[in-house]
Amino acid sequence: MPKIPPKVHRYLQPALRLGLGVLFFWSGIGKLQHFNDFLQAVYAYNILPVTLAKIYAQMLPWVEIMAAVYLILGLFTRFSAGLINLMMLSFIIAISAVLLRGDSLEDCGCFIGGQSEPLTPKKLVEDFFLLLAGVYLMLTPPGPWSLDNVLWKKPTPAAPETSPEEK
C-alpha cells in the first residue's frame, strides 16, 4: 500500500470514518423502520434460500448500525471497517449476480424507506469505491481523532538516561 503522508491521513481517516459511519447508520435505521420492504428487497435478489435470506435481512441492519457507531467513534476501527468490507463484498456479489443474470430490480434495497434506487452498474461502481474506503480504514492506523488512539495509544519510548559521567 502506498505511503499516505501523515497530514493527509490526519484528515482523510476521520473523514472516511464519519462518511461511512453516517451512511451505514442511516441505511441500517431505514431497514429496521421498514423491515418488510427490506425483506422483500432481499428476496428479490433471488440468491439466498428463503430461510437464509430472512436471517440475512434480520441481522444486516443491526450489524450496519453497530459497525457505523464504532466507526463514527473511532472505536475498534479496523474491526468495524472489516465488517463494512464484508458487507460491501456481499452487496457487490449480489449486484453482480443480478446484473449478470440480466434481471432488473427497481429498488436495490440500499436505503429502504427513502427514495428507491434501481439496480444498475453504477451501483456496483459506487459499492466498489465504498469498499476501497473501508480497506483504507482497515489497513491504516487509527487517526488522532479516534477512541482507538486515545484508549490504546502506544507510549513513546523515553529518551535514554545519561549517566553523570557522560555529562
Side-chain angles (χ1 to χ4, degrees), residues 35-149:
F35 178 74
N36 288 332
D37 293 337
F38 175 58
L39 182 59
Q40 291 310 310
V42 172
Y43 288 154
Y45 277 84
N46 200 22
I47 293 176
L48 297 172
V50 173
T51 305
L52 285 178
K54 189 170 185 175
I55 292 169
Y56 182 84
Q58 289 171 333
M59 291 180 58
L60 184 70
W62 294 106
V63 175
E64 284 182 329
I65 292 167
M66 179 196 70
V69 168
Y70 282 150
L71 272 185
I72 291 167
L73 295 174
L75 185 61
F76 310 118
T77 304
R78 287 180 168 168
F79 174 76
S80 302
L83 286 176
I84 298 278
N85 293 339
L86 288 174
M87 288 184 277
M88 293 311 305
L89 284 172
S90 78
F91 303 157
I92 289 168
I93 290 168
I95 292 168
S96 298
V98 169
L99 293 175
L100 287 172
R101 285 193 314 244
D103 292 348
S104 169
L105 294 180
E106 292 304 314
D107 190 358
C108 69
C110 306
F111 297 99
I112 297 295
Q115 183 177 347
S116 66
E117 242 183 296
L119 196 60
T120 63
K122 176 183 166 252
K123 182 51 67 184
L124 194 60
V125 172
E126 290 172 6
D127 285 358
F128 179 74
F129 281 105
L130 292 173
L131 176 64
L132 287 180
V135 168
Y136 176 83
L137 291 174
M138 197 170 83
L139 296 179
T140 56
W145 302 310
S146 70
L147 284 178
D148 285 338
N149 196 42

